[in-house]
Amino acid sequence: QKEVEQDPGPLSVPEGAIVSLNCTYSNSAFQYFMWYRQYSRKGPELLMYTYSSGNKEDGRFTAQVDKSSKYISLFIRDSQPSDSATYLCAMTRNAGNMLTFGGGTRLMVKP
Amino acid sequence: ETGVTQSPTHLIKTRGQQVTLRCSSQSGHNTVSWYQQALGQGPQFIFQYYREEENGRGNFPPRFSGLQFPNYSSELNVNALELDDSALYLCASSLVGTVNQETQYFGPGTRLLVL
């Protein structure tokens, strides 16, 4: 069993929909949680990071962490075709150390 | 753009050969991490360099080795290439020892194909 599990998708939604992306993890030592967006044949781009449990909002993106359930989420409001990409969750125990990634969820937003 | 650059962008090698991949970190960053991303999977941590010393290693064999230079640029060397080494190799830089040290910025990657 992988330390971080993520539904690979693909997830197909119409433009303007609210998208929910999720990851579960098994290592309770993880404290820092990130979401990266990766376009085809590009490197991952950091979208959000959160320390410990709680919510964080940035524009159309909201990240939620529930450490008690070992569950993290990324919500995208008013989704756009340009949001079509693979979304990777990542987490680490100590700031600056190795990131453990999920396998990524492929999102397609149709016009 | 993150300011992290990698070279070359693509590379084709044959099994048993050796390869060197290069990374220039974002200006001012002192830490470089390398990841391997197989097709359709998430990146896997190879190792990290902080101030020219290895500062953590993932579950990769010794034929994966690295260097970090005084200007914080880095190299990843892979000896005795195997077919399974075909992947996107990502470099990420960060500034450890500051408020935002958990933030790692990735380069565009080097796509390696081993035949």
Side-chain angles (χ1 to χ4, degrees):
Chain A
Q1 185 182 2
K2 295 182 180 179
E3 271 192 298
V4 180
E5 298 279 359
Q6 192 174 2
D7 188 329
L11 177 62
S12 182
V13 301
E15 183 176 355
I18 296 175
V19 175
S20 172
L21 303 166
N22 311 293
C23 286
T24 58
Y25 63 95
S26 58
N27 189 342
S28 58
F30 288 139
Q31 295 194 84
Y32 296 87
F33 304 89
M34 294 92 175
W35 285 96
Y36 284 85
R37 177 174 63 194
Q38 186 174 28
Y39 292 112
S40 181
R41 301 186 175 276
K42 301 287 187 182
E45 169 195 8
L46 180 67
L47 285 176
M48 304 277 289
Y49 80 87
T50 310
Y51 171 69
S52 194
S53 286
N55 295 356
K56 188 172 184 178
E57 186 173 323
D58 184 1
R60 297 186 295 113
F61 299 93
T62 299
Q64 287 186 352
V65 175
D66 182 350
K67 289 189 70 179
S68 63
S69 301
K70 298 190 182 70
Y71 188 87
I72 71 171
S73 301
L74 177 71
F75 298 95
I76 307 174
R77 291 182 297 281
D78 187 25
S79 56
Q80 302 295 311
S82 58
D83 294 327
S84 298
T86 296
Y87 289 79
L88 297 156
C89 64
M91 44 201 79
T92 182
R93 293 186 294 178
N94 301 310
N97 282 8
M98 60 171 281
L99 296 176
T100 301
F101 282 86
T105 298
R106 186 177 162 213
L107 171 67
M108 295 185 294
V109 181
K110 306 208 167 181
Chain B
E1 298 295 328
T2 63
V4 180
T5 60
Q6 292 186 243
S7 62
T9 56
H10 296 83
L11 203 52
I12 300 175
K13 291 285 188 178
T14 57
R15 195 170 49 182
Q17 284 188 311
Q18 178 265 343
V19 69
T20 298
L21 310 181
R22 295 178 175 83
C23 171
S24 290
S25 58
Q26 187 166 321
S27 178
H29 283 186
N30 57 16
T31 301
V32 173
S33 303
W34 286 92
Y35 293 81
Q36 180 195 67
Q37 186 177 23
L39 197 61
Q41 298 183 24
Q44 284 202 306
F45 176 74
I46 303 175
F47 44 56
Q48 182 183 83
Y49 279 83
Y50 171 65
R51 294 187 174 179
E52 302 177 59
E53 297 285 333
E54 189 177 288
N55 184 42
R57 188 178 183 93
N59 189 25
F60 280 81
R63 59 188 185 85
F64 286 78
S65 63
L67 282 173
Q68 188 182 30
F69 300 100
N71 66 354
Y72 301 129
S73 65
S74 177
E75 285 182 356
L76 164 65
N77 299 290
V78 187
N79 293 323
L81 283 167
E82 300 178 359
L83 298 179
D84 285 349
D85 295 334
S86 296
L88 181 67
Y89 287 85
L90 295 162
C91 162
S93 76
S94 56
L95 182 56
V96 173
T98 64
V99 173
N100 294 322
Q101 64 182 355
E102 68 278 358
T103 306
Q104 294 190 22
Y105 296 94
F106 284 83
T110 293
R111 191 163 296 279
L112 172 65
L113 177 61
V114 182
L115 301 176

